[in-house]
Amino acid sequence: MKFSTHKNSLQSNLLTMICLMLLVGLPTSAHSQDYRNINAYMDDFGKNEMFVKKTLMDYSVTIVESQLASRSNAAAGKIIEKLESMNANLRNNNKGFENNTSLRDSFIKMNQKTISSLLNGSLILNDYEYQSTLSLSEIGINLNQKEKDLVSYYEEMKIYEKSKKAFGNQYNMILKSSNSKNVLEYNALQNVLFYKINVIDQKLTSVISARDKKGFSDCLNSITDLHQATLAKTTQYNNAFKDNTLNAANIKYSNFINDQRAKFANLFNDYVDEYNALQILKNSKAPQTNETVANYNQVVRNYNTKKNSFYTVFNTLQTAKKVLYDSWFVTNGTFLKNNGEFENIHDKYVVTK
């Protein structure tokens, strides 16, 4: 998976920027403001929220191709700084409407969840290299925790939507709230599936480099388990959107990674067996004779043959994998572009009774 580092950093940046910048949507004035009526309060609140959502969705379509991976950390730091500053301004200057701060407080809480999620790494999905240095059990724990954290993150968003609806009901207003699956939540859950597959595949690559037969077998078994889990999850997601392209892309990619076992497992084991046989001869203290030299040369030839046979297939699959990997990002960007439109604020944020 070495080929994926740059692209995956871009995708991680995309996911982080979408999930995080989405929330930076309520600029506050330097001074406390009193609103004459609820419509004025919600108009300001809604315009800012919806404007930022639309702007960032438009931005998210192009960020994969245009955003440099080196900017990711700097951007994250700026997001945290802006969120913290915004929350402070909200607490000090936004007195709510008629001293009702429930909507403001829910928004602040959601922003704080964003800050925490960014700081604890739960939204980071580009750490393949680091994860591959861990044991499979440690990787499993990390992957499960990341998925739980992501689900928790979007639960906070749902709480905010409920608070917004309840706030509107208090003032006889119907505010637009999404009861269906959020396109960004759906996209993030699909990203997690893709991330998990690539993490285990990166681990597989590392044990191949180490000629670790047990590690190789364990990785293949983990890939099989993950493949079954991916098929189960994508089945659940199948009816979430009419556009199933991203779902299909994950299934196709998972199938490819899982099918590697049939294509090179035996070749790898034969190659490692010949390598080990060669090491035994190299370390042997037996006297050199014509027979031992001839045997050694034959083992060397066998080793080279087995090694070349394995790497011919492995390298071919790596090339094919890169094509699928790159194609996944195109599908992801297209999915967001086609399904991430946000409505005009005056049409959808406040619904006329």
Side-chain angles (χ1 to χ4, degrees):
M1 288 299 303
K2 297 257 184 214
F3 66 82
S4 67
T5 302
H6 178 64
K7 277 275 192 176
N8 195 64
S9 295
L10 298 182
Q11 176 60 17
S12 173
N13 201 25
L14 167 66
L15 178 63
T16 301
M17 295 295 285
I18 289 175
C19 293
L20 303 180
M21 289 292 286
L22 171 64
L23 306 180
V24 190
L26 190 59
T28 55
S29 62
H31 304 285
S32 179
Q33 184 173 0
D34 293 322
Y35 291 89
R36 292 172 299 175
N37 56 64
I38 186 62
N39 288 334
Y41 180 77
M42 294 312 304
D43 192 50
D44 276 357
F45 192 95
K47 282 180 180 178
N48 283 289
E49 179 184 321
M50 296 301 289
F51 172 78
V52 172
K53 285 182 178 180
K54 186 179 186 308
T55 299
L56 293 170
M57 182 54 70
D58 291 342
Y59 174 61
S60 72
V61 174
T62 60
I63 190 173
V64 171
E65 296 180 354
S66 64
Q67 182 73 23
L68 294 176
S70 59
R71 297 177 186 171
S72 182
N73 290 337
K78 289 179 180 178
I79 293 167
I80 292 173
E81 182 180 351
K82 184 172 183 179
L83 283 172
E84 289 177 337
S85 175
M86 184 187 66
N87 280 354
N89 284 333
L90 283 168
R91 292 187 183 98
N92 294 331
N93 303 315
N94 186 311
K95 304 305 180 182
F97 181 71
E98 296 180 344
N99 294 321
N100 184 345
T101 62
S102 60
L103 182 61
R104 182 206 71 174
D105 295 342
S106 179
F107 193 84
I108 289 174
K109 186 178 179 183
M110 185 171 66
N111 287 347
Q112 193 59 50
K113 182 72 171 182
T114 298
I115 294 171
S116 299
S117 297
L118 185 57
L119 289 174
N120 69 21
S122 61
L123 297 180
I124 296 175
L125 300 178
N126 66 340
D127 56 347
Y128 299 164
E129 291 288 345
Y130 165 71
Q131 294 289 347
S132 69
T133 65
L134 306 176
S135 68
L136 283 172
S137 61
E138 291 172 322
I139 291 173
I141 291 171
N142 289 348
L143 295 184
N144 289 336
Q145 188 60 50
K146 278 182 181 286
E147 187 167 21
K148 288 179 181 178
D149 288 343
L150 195 63
V151 170
S152 173
Y153 180 73
Y154 279 99
E155 283 300 320
E156 192 64 50
M157 287 188 178
K158 292 174 184 176
I159 292 172
Y160 167 69
E161 288 293 329
K162 290 179 180 178
S163 297
K164 184 167 69 175
K165 183 177 180 179
F167 184 87
N169 288 339
Q170 284 185 266
Y171 300 96
N172 203 30
M173 301 182 73
I174 301 176
L175 305 182
K176 178 68 176 179
S177 293
S178 176
N179 295 320
S180 60
K181 185 170 291 293
N182 184 297
V183 64
L184 299 179
E185 178 183 8
Y186 174 85
N187 180 256
L189 293 173
Q190 292 282 9
N191 271 255
V192 167
L193 293 180
F194 187 66
Y195 168 74
K196 286 183 173 182
I197 296 167
N198 286 317
V199 166
I200 301 299
D201 188 63
Q202 178 66 43
K203 181 64 176 179
L204 180 67
T205 300
S206 70
V207 298
I208 286 174
S209 297
R211 292 181 288 267
D212 178 358
K213 284 184 68 174
K214 184 181 185 307
F216 179 78
S217 177
D218 290 342
C219 274
L220 290 180
N221 290 337
S222 292
I223 287 173
T224 298
D225 292 341
L226 181 57
H227 177 60
Q228 293 302 316
T230 299
L231 294 181
K233 285 290 180 67
T234 49
T235 298
Q236 293 176 17
Y237 301 158
N238 196 50
N239 296 320
F241 285 88
K242 290 182 179 179
D243 183 348
N244 265 320
T245 53
L246 189 53
N247 213 37
N250 264 335
I251 293 171
K252 185 176 182 180
Y253 192 74
S254 183
N255 284 340
F256 180 90
I257 299 299
N258 187 61
D259 289 347
Q260 291 179 122
R261 177 196 291 266
K263 292 180 171 62
F264 61 50
N266 290 336
L267 293 174
F268 174 78
N269 288 325
D270 289 347
Y271 149 55
V272 174
D273 286 343
E274 289 296 338
Y275 172 82
N276 290 334
L278 180 59
Q279 299 313 302
I280 290 173
L281 287 181
K282 283 184 175 181
N283 295 325
S284 174
K285 299 187 183 301
Q288 289 190 354
T289 64
N290 290 338
E291 183 178 355
T292 57
V293 171
N295 181 55
Y296 177 83
N297 290 337
Q298 183 60 49
V299 172
V300 169
R301 287 191 291 271
N302 291 343
Y303 165 71
N304 287 331
T305 298
K306 298 294 185 182
K307 178 182 178 181
N308 291 337
S309 295
F310 167 71
Y311 275 106
T312 295
V313 173
F314 178 76
N315 291 334
T316 299
L317 289 174
Q318 288 291 96
T319 300
K321 186 195 304 177
K322 186 179 187 304
V323 173
L324 279 179
Y325 185 92
D326 292 344
S327 176
W328 188 93
F329 283 97
V330 174
T331 300
N332 189 60
T334 302
F335 176 86
L336 285 170
K337 182 178 181 180
N338 292 340
N339 297 280
E341 296 297 330
F342 285 91
E343 303 89 347
N344 182 283
I345 171 62
H346 297 294
D347 291 340
K348 296 295 183 179
Y349 194 77
V350 177
V351 182
T352 303
K353 289 188 177 181

